[in-house]
Amino acid sequence: MRLQKSSLYGLYAVLELAACPERRLSTAEIAETYGISTHHLAKVMRTLVRAGLVLSVLGPGGGYRFAGNAARVTLMDVIRLFEPMGSEIEPFDDETAAATGVGQALRGVRDEIDELAQATLSSITLKSLLKIARRQAQSVTGATAANPA
Amino acid sequence: MSRPVPHRPLLTIRDAVAADIDAVVRLDRIDTGLAKPAYWGDIFARYVQAPRPERAFLIAEGCGEIIGFIVGEIRAWEFGSPPSGWVFAIHVAPDRRELGVGTRLLDDICARFRAAGANTVRTMVLRRDTLNLSFFRSQGLTAGPYIELERGLE
């Protein structure tokens, strides 16, 4: 499974907001943190608002804040907002090839890979991912402190 | 009327005893839909009545009631792997979930494995079992170096 840019941007935004649910952040602030396009992220944010994962707060000091349950929302819940899933995945281009034994066997391999990817993404909640992220940030900080040069 | 929610300090983790078997069968049946008294009788015979340091069958008790259990052992493993802790069953009563019961059970069995010399813990979960997959993920388990393979036997 190759993730589209929108999926990654959606994950960055949701995870950044879920890390501190009381905090409001603007699209520009999130885009700057991850070095991504503000314009593209703005479109992604609209999708996340429609899905109820983030809340748009208007007015001075406005921005976005997390509106979901980090212990329940999985990476797949975010990704499926931006990617075709299951039967929506485009079939092999050539119908003749797909009907052959080789074509069917290759489709079986692809389905196996997709199932594994989906099982993985469906089992990791935002909370679990943030826990891993914090551990990795600590180990980077620790390594930097140990090797200040 | 809903039952009072147990507080974490009231949770006790202890070794299983023979009298726990009915509660274990009941908890397993809630999750799997299958009552397997013969299977659990065999597990109790090996893990409870003939305990060994590399085996652990732990019970979670809250307010005097059995609310969860975990079973595992250190296995030597095949294909060149060093011995590793192996968890093959964990169940928590549905109305006692998200209270840290599963975490305590896993922490305690991992402590047993560590004390018995293991450096890793493994388990195997059905791909579509998002409840257990998410639990183990939340405890820091990630995909290991092995891939489970199978085929139908005609």
Side-chain angles (χ1 to χ4, degrees), chain A residues 99-123:
Chain A
T100 64
V102 168
Q104 286 174 5
L106 285 173
R107 180 183 287 249
V109 173
R110 189 196 62 179
D111 290 349
E112 187 179 322
I113 294 167
D114 281 344
E115 263 194 52
L116 271 174
Q118 289 192 31
T120 303
L121 294 167
S122 300
S123 70

Side-chain angles (χ1 to χ4, degrees), chain B residues 14-21 24 40-52 55-59 70-71:
Chain B
R14 59 164 174 81
D15 286 307
V17 295
D20 296 328
I21 190 164
V24 166
W40 286 110
D42 183 47
I43 297 289
F44 266 73
R46 287 190 286 134
Y47 289 78
V48 177
Q49 279 134 23
R52 290 192 203 160
R55 292 176 176 172
F57 194 144
L58 305 179
I59 296 286
I70 191 167
V71 199

Side-chain angles (χ1 to χ4, degrees), chain A:
Chain A
M1 177 181 276
R2 188 190 173 100
L3 293 184
Q4 296 186 32
K5 225 177 227 183
S6 297
S7 296
L8 275 176
Y9 289 9
L11 287 170
Y12 292 151
V14 166
L15 286 160
E16 188 65 23
L17 293 168
C20 192
E22 307 80 33
R23 187 178 51 170
R24 293 172 188 178
L25 289 174
S26 68
T27 305
E29 286 170 316
I30 299 168
E32 192 187 339
T33 302
Y34 291 93
I36 58 179
S37 154
T38 307
H39 181 68
H40 191 157
L41 182 61
K43 284 189 204 165
V44 166
M45 296 310 289
R46 283 197 287 277
T47 304
L48 295 175
V49 169
R50 272 200 304 276
L53 288 176
V54 303
L55 202 66
S56 173
V57 185
L58 301 173
Y64 295 96
R65 69 178 174 79
F66 184 62
N69 179 347
R72 294 274 183 202
V73 177
T74 68
L75 302 187
M76 184 56 100
D77 291 331
V78 179
I79 291 167
R80 67 159 53 100
L81 298 173
F82 304 99
E83 309 270 348
M85 289 292 153
S87 57
E88 298 166 49
I89 295 170
E90 61 184 57
F92 285 169
D93 290 342
D94 192 329
E95 279 183 28
T96 309
T100 64
V102 168
Q104 286 174 5
L106 285 173
R107 180 183 287 249
V109 173
R110 189 196 62 179
D111 290 349
E112 187 179 322
I113 294 167
D114 281 344
E115 263 194 52
L116 271 174
Q118 289 192 31
T120 303
L121 294 167
S122 300
S123 70
I124 302 175
T125 62
L126 301 182
K127 191 177 171 187
S128 295
L129 200 286
L130 287 169
K131 205 194 275 185
I132 298 167
R134 273 193 292 273
R135 252 199 325 263
Q136 289 187 339
Q138 279 165 4
S139 72
V140 169
T141 312
T144 309
N147 304 290

Side-chain angles (χ1 to χ4, degrees), chain B residues 75-115:
Chain B
R75 288 190 182 170
W77 277 83
E78 295 77 16
F79 301 107
S81 166
S84 170
W86 173 252
V87 172
F88 63 86
I90 181 167
H91 294 272
V92 174
D95 59 346
R96 306 302 174 98
R97 288 177 187 160
E98 297 188 65
L99 294 167
V101 178
T103 300
R104 275 286 308 277
L105 284 166
L106 187 64
D107 285 350
D108 278 38
I109 204 167
C110 285
R112 302 280 185 104
F113 291 155
R114 215 175 289 116

